[in-house]
Amino acid sequence: MIRAFLLSLIFLSLALPGQAGYRFEDHAPVVWTGRTPDSYAVHGLDVARFQDRIDWRKAKRAGVEFAFIKATEGGDFFDPMFDDHWSGARRADIPRGAYHFYYFCRPAKEQAAWFIQNVPRRRGTLPPVLDMEWNPHSPTCVKRPPAKEVRRQARIFLRMVEKHYGLRPIIYTTPEFYSQNQMGKLPGVEFWLRSTAKSLEHAYPGQHWKFWQYTGTGLVPGVTGGVDVNVFNGSGEDWQKWLRSHRR
């Protein structure tokens, strides 16, 4: 009976939020193999219109050290919560950057121009981010160009945005998209990679990366409901060095 009781406690500890491997509590924790998210020193969020107004100071006190905020999508969508999140993170003195969700039914030049039109060029912000992933649920565009064309479009966007802001954009992507489009062939790119079920050494063997999105169901003080949580690949000292070299 005692053995059964102990086993039940172990099961509950794995099933409940706040299990080993996480910095913050989580709606849907997993059991990690390999290096766990909580072993990294620097954690941050990415947010969009799905998050209501955030208490950024409370989030910072809880350990949030950076934020990536959705600004644009395609060539005509501007996230209605961008301005609120952007100014709120600034007031809390949280380093923040903006990201663009790529749409494969619009020319890359138009999308880069739309991002530039809507995201202010301010000193001290993080590099822009190009979010490239398949979107099978889109009501207007489910195109999947061949890998070579995907990388060509990415290069166009990266060049235009880098020229305007003076910083090389980061690329965010998923395991399926990364593999199918051989994104590792893009030279000089820093990657922000998603993997919510496997550690990155298993999901992207051999790939260097700067940020890891490890959950979409994090429970972070100051944020209502679940939120994407990420880590930076390095120590606290590495983070400060990276900030000094990557903030315009």
Side-chain angles (χ1 to χ4, degrees), residues 18-34:
Q19 74 167 82
Y22 288 82
R23 168 75 59 86
F24 302 103
E25 292 189 342
D26 201 281
H27 275 305
V30 300
V31 178
W32 298 102
T33 58

Side-chain angles (χ1 to χ4, degrees), residues 101-132:
F101 188 91
Y102 199 79
Y103 181 76
F104 286 98
C105 294
R106 196 83 179 241
K109 288 183 178 179
E110 291 183 12
Q111 297 192 57
W114 179 244
F115 181 84
I116 289 167
Q117 178 181 330
N118 285 282
V119 176
R121 183 165 51 185
R122 297 282 188 269
R123 291 185 62 83
T125 57
L126 300 179
V129 175
L130 171 59
D131 177 347
M132 295 191 96

